[in-house]
Amino acid sequence: MKKKYIFLVLTILLSVGIYFLFFHKDKSLKYIPENADVVILVDVKKATRQYIFSFLTYPSKWVEDSKKNKNKTSISDSGLKIPDFLQIFHLKETKVSEWYTILEIKDKAKFSEFLKSRQFVNDGKNQFKNNQFFIKIDGEKCIVGTSNLNLKNIGKPLLQKFRAQVLNADSFMNNGLGSISFISELRTQNFSIDLKDDEIEIKNEQNSIDFESLISELNNKTQFLDAELDSENIKKIGSVFKENVSDSLSVNHLKMSTNLAEVNDTIISYGYDDNFNEIEKVSYQKIIQPNYEILLQTSNPNKTWMYFQHKKWINTQNQFTAIPFQPNLISQNKSQISIKSTRKSVKLNETKKQDYIFIKNNPLLYSSFKTLNNQFFKDIEYLFYGNKDQNYMVKIKFKKEKYPLILR
């Protein structure tokens, strides 16, 4: 009988331990600043459960992990306190590429070893950097960022009351692995983040639209980029890049299609022969050029054309110089403006009457954009943005590999 009681007590203790280790969460958000306009939350314990489940179903991963470099300190042994909800934020009026998070330091000696193992260099004034991240130590906390430009401009934490409710993880997310929230003076828009075997999916909670048939159709085509946007989507996407020009353009609808091609570029230089006569030297190099066509439907083509001329984006050869890839030709008629490359024509797809952007990965990108020449971007198969009514979705599809994303 005593054995049964002992077994029961051990079972209860184990259950309680598992609950507090993997399910109980501190939902308080201490470090979201008042000048944040975008907040990303990651449910660390839910991610841990998903990781463990995936890890247990792929025994070959056990062997690989046992052979990893033991000199590289892991995050779990870094001396940092990892919160139950990782809080990543973007500050108002900063670049799209600038993101920050604040973490507590629980063991400074371990944290110092972690920085050394990850090749962080002391930049002075308690600041460290490596090729990807910047870290500033402030007492018992550290600020981690993708840039050091605004480390000192991070404002005070938000008040405990936010949008008439207690500020915690429930203010920004529901059941996803994470969330991304856009904060404005008027409202907050929350989008859930789900991590699947080979894709990351971001959508708003009320999303009931299935974009899969559209994605499948676009993925079967050869275009590098295909897009169709109404005026509202043009305005929203422009605001992300701090370019609010839609009112000036009077554009109602945009449609575009682009392919990438490798072409020979002629380089002409001049030198002198042995008799000091000037001679012309011709050489060639391979460059990446897009072939594209863009249609802008507008209620007032003359206004749009005059705006382009005011910006000096149209030269005397009727080339649209705001697009750096030449040659092209811009023209207008009663209802639209067309911009197309002249090197090779691109056929626009039929109108879908949906708002979307579809970008298919292309190896030609890596030789032109050094920032994309890393394994993360090479593993992406396509990126999709879709909107219909109040339903939004972003999907990042990765190439199918030996392991699911969370184990890579």
Side-chain angles (χ1 to χ4, degrees), residues 167-387:
L167 180 64
N168 60 29
D170 292 335
S171 306
F172 299 104
M173 66 183 297
N174 288 327
N175 298 318
L177 186 70
S179 69
I180 178 168
S181 301
F182 297 86
I183 304 172
S184 67
E185 294 180 1
L186 299 176
R187 61 173 179 162
T188 298
Q189 290 182 289
N190 297 328
F191 298 83
S192 66
I193 302 174
D194 289 299
L195 180 65
K196 302 181 180 179
D197 281 356
D198 300 301
E199 61 191 48
I200 299 171
E201 197 172 89
I202 304 169
K203 59 185 179 182
N204 53 333
E205 296 297 339
Q206 68 265 35
N207 193 320
S208 59
I209 299 296
D210 185 3
F211 292 99
E212 290 306 316
S213 59
L214 175 61
I215 292 173
S216 178
E217 182 181 349
L218 294 169
N219 195 33
N220 287 330
K221 298 183 182 298
T222 59
Q223 279 88 345
F224 157 67
L225 184 152
D226 204 309
E228 190 174 325
L229 300 171
D230 63 11
S231 58
E232 283 301 311
N233 277 280
I234 294 170
K235 186 182 296 186
K236 287 172 183 173
I237 292 171
S239 66
V240 172
F241 298 97
K242 313 301 179 187
E243 297 290 340
N244 297 313
V245 298
S246 57
D247 293 336
S248 302
L249 292 176
S250 300
V251 173
N252 303 322
H253 189 265
L254 175 148
K255 188 171 176 56
M256 70 179 297
S257 186
T258 305
N259 281 328
L260 296 180
E262 188 176 57
V263 298
N264 287 320
D265 183 44
T266 304
I267 302 173
I268 298 176
S269 59
Y270 296 90
Y272 296 91
D273 61 17
D274 294 339
N275 297 319
F276 296 99
N277 297 313
E278 188 177 60
I279 57 172
E280 183 179 275
K281 298 179 180 180
V282 179
S283 60
Y284 302 93
Q285 67 175 356
K286 295 284 187 181
I287 63 171
I288 307 304
Q289 281 275 30
N291 301 312
Y292 53 88
E293 181 170 0
I294 304 170
L295 286 182
L296 303 174
Q297 291 184 359
T298 169
S299 56
N300 193 337
N302 287 331
K303 180 182 177 181
T304 307
W305 191 272
M306 289 176 64
Y307 178 83
F308 288 160
Q309 288 182 325
H310 174 73
K311 287 286 191 176
K312 298 182 180 180
W313 289 346
I314 302 177
N315 63 18
T316 55
Q317 289 81 39
N318 278 345
Q319 292 180 333
F320 189 66
T321 58
I323 297 177
F325 303 104
Q326 306 292 330
N328 65 33
L329 181 66
I330 183 170
S331 59
Q332 68 165 311
N333 59 28
K334 292 182 179 180
S335 63
Q336 66 184 26
I337 289 177
S338 169
I339 306 167
K340 59 174 69 177
S341 58
T342 56
R343 189 185 300 273
K344 188 177 181 181
S345 62
V346 174
K347 184 180 179 181
L348 285 171
N349 292 326
E350 68 279 4
T351 300
K352 307 292 184 188
K353 295 183 179 179
Q354 295 191 60
D355 293 284
Y356 66 88
I357 300 173
F358 185 87
I359 303 174
K360 183 181 285 189
N361 203 345
N362 191 313
L364 294 177
L365 282 171
Y366 310 135
S367 59
S368 299
F369 300 97
K370 301 301 182 184
T371 55
L372 301 181
N373 193 13
N374 62 60
Q375 199 56 48
F376 175 82
F377 289 106
K378 289 179 179 179
D379 286 344
I380 292 175
E381 185 176 320
Y382 63 75
L383 187 150
F384 172 83
Y385 162 82
N387 162 235

Side-chain angles (χ1 to χ4, degrees), residues 5-106:
Y5 282 122
I6 293 173
F7 178 76
L8 180 61
V9 170
L10 289 176
T11 302
I12 292 172
L13 290 174
L14 181 62
S15 299
V16 171
I18 290 174
Y19 170 76
F20 277 97
L21 186 61
F22 295 112
F23 292 91
H24 180 266
K25 302 168 190 174
D26 178 1
K27 295 186 177 183
S28 61
L29 304 177
K30 300 178 182 178
Y31 298 119
I32 295 176
E34 57 192 3
N35 58 333
D37 58 0
V38 185
V39 173
I40 296 176
L41 295 185
V42 178
D43 187 334
V44 174
K45 289 195 172 178
K46 189 169 186 176
T48 301
R49 297 198 305 269
Q50 188 171 335
Y51 177 87
I52 291 173
F53 176 80
S54 297
F55 187 77
L56 292 175
T57 55
Y58 287 88
S60 57
K61 183 68 174 173
W62 310 351
V63 179
E64 287 187 16
D65 279 7
S66 66
K67 296 178 180 179
K68 281 186 177 179
N69 184 4
K70 299 300 182 182
N71 295 323
K72 205 172 188 180
T73 307
S74 67
I75 295 290
S76 60
D77 199 33
S78 63
L80 292 172
K81 179 183 177 181
I82 307 300
D84 292 339
F85 288 89
L86 188 63
Q87 303 150 50
I88 304 166
F89 52 86
H90 178 269
L91 301 177
K92 296 175 183 176
E93 306 300 328
T94 61
K95 295 179 180 178
V96 177
S97 58
E98 290 185 43
W99 295 87
Y100 304 92
T101 187
I102 300 175
L103 298 170
E104 296 178 11
I105 303 171
K106 61 181 181 181

Side-chain angles (χ1 to χ4, degrees), residues 117-170:
S117 72
R118 297 288 172 150
Q119 298 179 327
F120 278 89
V121 177
N122 193 333
D123 203 22
K125 297 181 180 179
N126 285 326
Q127 293 193 33
F128 301 81
K129 66 177 182 179
N130 65 7
N131 292 330
Q132 296 174 300
F133 297 104
F134 295 83
I135 289 178
K136 179 181 178 181
I137 297 176
D138 183 9
E140 301 300 317
K141 301 188 293 290
C142 76
I143 305 171
V144 184
T146 58
S147 169
N148 65 345
L149 295 177
N150 288 283
L151 288 172
K152 62 182 180 181
N153 296 328
I154 295 173
K156 296 179 181 178
L158 277 171
L159 298 175
Q160 286 300 303
K161 284 285 187 179
F162 177 73
R163 301 277 190 250
Q165 59 182 322
V166 176
L167 180 64
N168 60 29
D170 292 335

